[in-house]
Amino acid sequence: MSISVLYGRDISKDFTMEFNFATGRIGKPGAAWDGNFSLPSDSVLKDSGQIPENVVAATGISTDLDQRVLHSMGKSSPEILAAKHGIFGQIVGGVLYPDAGSLESSVRMLLESGLKVIPYGGGSSVNGSLMPGAGHETVSVDMKNFSSVSIGKNFVRAGAGVTGSDLEAALWKAGYTCGNFPESFRYSTVGGWVATGAVGQESNQYGGIREIAISISLLTSSGRIEDINVPSQSAGTTALDISLGSAGGTGIITDVTLKTFRIPRRRYYHSYFFRSFEDGLRVLQESEKFPTVARLSDETETEFAIRANSADTVQKLFRSYLDIRGVGNGAILIVVNNEEPWRMGMSGSVYAGGIPARMWERDRYLRPGLANLLWKAGYIPDTLETAANWEYLPGLYRDVKESFYEMKKEHGFNGVIMAHISHLYRSGACIYFTFVISTEFKQEMETLDAVRDGIIKAFIRNHGAITHHHGMGALFRPYLDSHHLDLMKLVRDPMYGGV
């Protein structure tokens, strides 16, 4: 039995130029793969038991093996790589697809039967929160039937299972947006945004989900908590407060109320080239205000963007122009701004028009398609992100890059790493690292673990966050200090069945 575990299969863009450039920089691939988890006859799945038949009959739980496997993993690289190697840990015993009328009674029956639950949104999690723990039977609660969208005056109430693209489609018809556009926009859900503390690409204007979400409805083992829908309050801790970034550990989010904003009448596109990534960093740090989108790529990511998005003749002409202006090997800053052109001074930069920014916007949700191709060709793509204050960002950036290439020598893998700055704040910014590696098949899992560990430890020693917007699941929790781990345990609901 084979189960496809990659996503991005629905993306039709031709990634030939991007793929050729990336693989040319990385070198020899590892073992090719079809993207499927192949289940051998002597199953390697760890199944902790059986859900009682009366519970299955009463709740309509699906026990189909393919659905159980898919609901027991997210889309993090460690989880996908384990599937490539035919290794799978505990899987959920079944999948529940409740609606608003059946959720509470079904969950009550599960808990009374000694079962635990894991909420499931779009399955795009990269923090390890969908992996069930050992020693108990767990049911995945798929929220796809919580799909209602009710638009109010400058707010919207959305079911936790509504995807970003479906939410925005409904809002745009009414002339609104909620302003949250993560890269996983086509797959991630409103409930998942809260659970991960998501931050979309236009957060400079709208804020992240912490600023956009107003209230939630949360089902816990002791009952339902309904936050009131008011602009602001000072009445103690809310369900929203404890659920942001919790990776589903506080209960089942069923509905979310979000702020809405009038859709922009116009968008303006700009791009600037700096001699170096750190020159661009200094300019952003000194800015008094920020555009809707500002994305500063380092030299490697800039090279990738130019090579991947330009035909040879156009690329040569553009490169010649940049060389003449002294920024041919520099860093690009993409700017998109709503309502008015961006007029802030970009000292030391060369203006390069709006086309690069428009091309970025055109392709901004398509990266999973390229990752899909890389996985199948034998490469391992991954991303890790953090946030730090401005004074620490240059050192953090250098430390991560140096650590990566030191690990490359030590472990003998092929690979490349690149970075960009996004999500700007008065005190600092998010920096997002993308790396692709390849090595011998038998070394792949050990190598990926070592690289991820080295990068996250570089974040921590340079005063960075463990993660800026991916949520505190099992893959990141080992890096928490004991005090914050104790704090997480205080709000974790006993019905949560994740690792």
Side-chain angles (χ1 to χ4, degrees):
M1 181 179 184
S2 292
I3 302 168
S4 179
V5 298
L6 297 176
Y7 74 146
R9 298 185 305 277
D10 57 327
I11 294 172
S12 58
K13 182 182 185 299
D14 182 356
F15 288 101
T16 301
M17 287 193 293
E18 293 95 326
F19 180 82
N20 289 343
F21 175 71
T23 56
R25 287 291 300 268
I26 301 161
K28 181 182 176 182
W33 179 43
D34 62 5
N36 294 327
F37 172 61
S38 298
L39 186 63
S41 54
D42 53 337
S43 176
V44 296
L45 299 178
K46 297 175 183 176
D47 202 343
S48 62
Q50 295 292 323
I51 298 175
E53 290 183 7
N54 67 308
V55 176
V56 174
T59 60
I61 288 173
S62 169
T63 57
D64 290 345
L65 185 57
D66 59 342
Q67 289 305 306
R68 292 169 60 201
V69 168
L70 289 173
H71 282 74
S72 300
M73 65 176 294
K75 292 296 183 278
S76 73
S77 292
E79 292 169 280
I80 292 173
L81 185 59
K84 175 182 177 179
H85 282 250
I87 299 170
F88 221 98
Q90 198 79 25
I91 67 166
V92 296
V95 182
L96 179 68
Y97 298 93
D99 56 25
S102 65
L103 175 65
E104 292 192 43
S105 60
S106 295
V107 169
R108 190 181 310 116
M109 177 173 271
L110 297 180
L111 299 182
E112 289 172 352
S113 302
L115 305 172
K116 292 183 179 289
V117 301
I118 296 177
Y120 183 96
S124 58
S125 161
V126 294
N127 58 39
S129 60
L130 299 179
M131 299 186 294
H136 50 75
E137 189 68 89
T138 302
V139 173
S140 175
V141 180
D142 190 310
M143 301 301 289
K144 70 177 183 179
N145 293 325
F146 286 73
S147 57
S148 63
V149 176
S150 178
I151 301 172
K153 181 64 174 176
N154 296 326
F155 70 88
V156 61
R157 183 75 166 175
V162 179
T163 63
S165 54
D166 286 346
L167 176 63
E168 282 298 312
L171 287 174
W172 273 65
K173 288 179 182 178
Y176 290 96
T177 176
C178 82
N180 195 55
F181 301 98
E183 188 176 276
S184 60
F185 178 72
R186 297 165 57 153
Y187 310 98
S188 58
T189 60
V190 172
W193 291 351
V194 172
T196 57
V199 182
Q201 295 165 339
E202 301 186 18
S203 64
N204 297 345
Q205 176 175 342
Y206 300 110
I209 204 67
R210 290 177 184 273
E211 291 75 38
I212 297 170
I214 299 171
S215 64
I216 68 170
S217 180
L218 181 71
L219 182 62
T220 72
S221 56
S222 57
R224 183 178 289 275
I225 305 174
E226 288 277 2
D227 290 340
I228 60 172
N229 180 20
V230 293
S232 184
Q233 61 175 307
S234 180
T237 303
T238 66
L240 176 62
D241 291 333
I242 64 171
S243 297
L244 283 163
S246 68
T250 57
I252 301 172
I253 299 167
T254 62
D255 301 276
V256 182
T257 303
L258 305 128
K259 299 173 186 175
T260 58
F261 310 86
R262 284 290 180 184
I263 59 174
R265 291 165 295 180
R266 286 198 64 182
R267 283 164 78 81
Y268 295 85
Y269 303 86
H270 311 276
S271 63
Y272 305 85
F273 277 81
F274 293 90
R275 292 180 185 275
S276 72
F277 179 65
E278 293 193 19
D279 283 351
L281 262 181
R282 282 190 288 272
V283 169
L284 291 178
Q285 179 179 356
E286 294 165 2
S287 297
E288 289 298 318
K289 63 177 184 175
F290 305 120
T292 304
V293 176
R295 180 184 172 113
L296 174 68
S297 296
D298 73 355
E299 293 84 349
T300 305
E301 189 172 279
T302 298
E303 179 74 8
F304 174 78
I306 293 173
R307 292 283 189 91
N309 290 292
S310 304
D312 285 345
T313 302
V314 175
Q315 182 190 128
K316 288 176 182 177
L317 289 172
F318 189 50
R319 175 71 71 190
S320 296
Y321 168 73
L322 296 176
D323 286 341
I324 291 169
R325 299 297 303 274
V327 292
N329 296 310
I332 189 173
L333 172 66
I334 295 297
V335 169
V336 182
N337 201 49
N338 289 336
E339 306 300 1
E340 61 183 9
W342 184 244
R343 295 190 175 93
M344 292 295 290
M346 291 290 162
S347 175
S349 70
V350 172
Y351 186 66
I355 291 177
R358 289 181 182 275
M359 295 177 74
W360 168 82
E361 184 175 68
R362 180 196 66 192
D363 296 341
R364 64 174 171 166
Y365 303 130
L366 304 183
R367 280 167 54 109
L370 176 57
N372 199 333
L373 292 178
L374 290 168
W375 275 112
K376 290 182 176 181
Y379 298 96
I380 304 169
D382 204 353
T383 58
L384 289 168
E385 39 71 38
T386 184
N389 291 341
W390 291 114
E391 63 264 35
Y392 299 122
L393 279 170
L396 186 152
Y397 169 73
R398 290 191 294 268
D399 193 359
V400 169
K401 296 266 286 196
E402 289 167 4
S403 296
F404 179 85
Y405 287 109
E406 286 173 5
M407 289 185 286
K408 182 179 176 182
K409 290 180 181 178
E410 179 183 349
H411 293 273
F413 61 83
N414 300 311
V416 65
I417 188 168
M418 60 191 80
H420 66 261
I421 291 285
S422 56
H423 313 301
L424 308 180
Y425 304 91
R426 293 292 298 165
S427 59
C430 167
I431 184 166
Y432 198 105
F433 291 89
T434 299
F435 58 94
V436 185
I437 62 174
S438 65
T439 188
E440 296 295 326
F441 181 78
K442 63 182 180 180
Q443 300 296 327
E444 285 181 336
M445 295 185 69
E446 177 186 340
T447 300
L448 178 62
D449 287 346
V451 172
R452 286 175 60 92
D453 181 66
I455 290 174
I456 295 173
K457 286 178 177 175
F459 291 169
I460 294 169
R461 66 174 171 262
N462 286 279
H463 310 280
I466 296 170
T467 175
H468 171 257
H469 58 257
H470 282 155
M472 192 47 60
L475 294 176
F476 296 120
R477 202 177 303 123
Y479 298 94
L480 268 182
D481 64 85
S482 60
H483 299 297
H484 283 90
L485 195 57
D486 288 342
L487 189 58
M488 281 194 68
K489 291 175 182 177
L490 285 176
V491 298
R492 180 163 167 159
D493 194 281
M495 74 176 178
Y496 177 66
V499 174

